[in-house]
Amino acid sequence: MAKQRSTDADTFRAAVRDVTPLTHTPPPVGLAKPKPRARLRKAAASARENLDEAMPLLALDTVTGDGAVTGDGAVTGDGAVTADGALSFQRGGVRTQVVRRLRRGLYPNEDELDLHGLSQTAARDLLADFIARSRDGGCRCVRIIHGKGYRSGARGPVLKTAVNLWLRRHMDVMAFVSARAIDGGAGAMYVLLRA
């Protein structure tokens, strides 16, 4: 058997002895891989007006005692936001498997924003800047801590309700879910940003 192997090897070497390797030729111009272009963001003519339109503030009288938002129709009925209630959202085209992985905390959190104790206006401004900065920085998954709203009293968790509404309306947000208990539970959320 060993003798057969050596003769096979010798035969192969003799066959390829006269073969010359091919020279590398560049691909034709039309088939060259295009270089990725940098994304250009549209400059906002009046950032405050656009922010008021895209992420409106909640009037305190529109938040009912059970945490449901009325009037604007953002969250009503069974979708009431409560202090210990879990939040979840997925934009059309986002697969259920992606949301399931997000809920399990399988995407690494690349940045974090804490909105505890802020007013709605300050929280909205910080959130809009944070999402824009994170997306421009290439972050895919971030964590936002909004708190559970225990100090909001009978009107329910105002900031949690507002963040829920704002993220649903923000076009750079593909999905979000309440975080795992170790990462803040119902007082925080994982947000998946547009790639």
Side-chain angles (χ1 to χ4, degrees), residues 51-76:
L51 192 58
D52 286 337
E53 189 176 308
M55 300 170 72
L57 295 176
L58 296 179
L60 294 181
D61 59 345
T62 63
V63 180
T64 63
D66 63 354
V69 177
T70 60
D72 193 23
V75 181
T76 57

Side-chain angles (χ1 to χ4, degrees), residues 88-91 94-95 98-99 102 140 142 167 170 172-177 189-194:
S88 180
F89 169 77
Q90 97 187 59
R91 197 166 300 287
V94 177
R95 294 179 16 208
V98 171
V99 176
L102 186 64
R140 179 82 168 126
V142 295
L167 291 179
H170 202 294
D172 286 339
V173 174
M174 296 307 294
F176 63 82
V177 295
M189 60 178 58
Y190 304 130
V191 180
L192 192 65
L193 299 176
R194 185 181 304 276

Side-chain angles (χ1 to χ4, degrees), residues 41 51 55 108-115 118 122-146 163 166-167 170 172-173 189-194:
R41 296 184 67 90
L51 192 58
M55 300 170 72
N109 290 318
E110 298 166 318
D111 208 353
E112 175 178 303
L113 175 67
D114 191 350
L115 301 174
L118 297 177
R124 181 188 64 178
D125 294 344
L126 275 176
L127 182 63
D129 290 342
F130 175 74
I131 291 174
R133 190 172 15 96
S134 296
R135 177 141 188 273
D136 290 344
C139 295
R140 179 82 168 126
C141 181
V142 295
R143 181 172 57 157
I144 297 174
I145 303 168
H146 47 70
V163 170
W166 297 334
L167 291 179
H170 202 294
D172 286 339
V173 174
M189 60 178 58
Y190 304 130
V191 180
L192 192 65
L193 299 176
R194 185 181 304 276

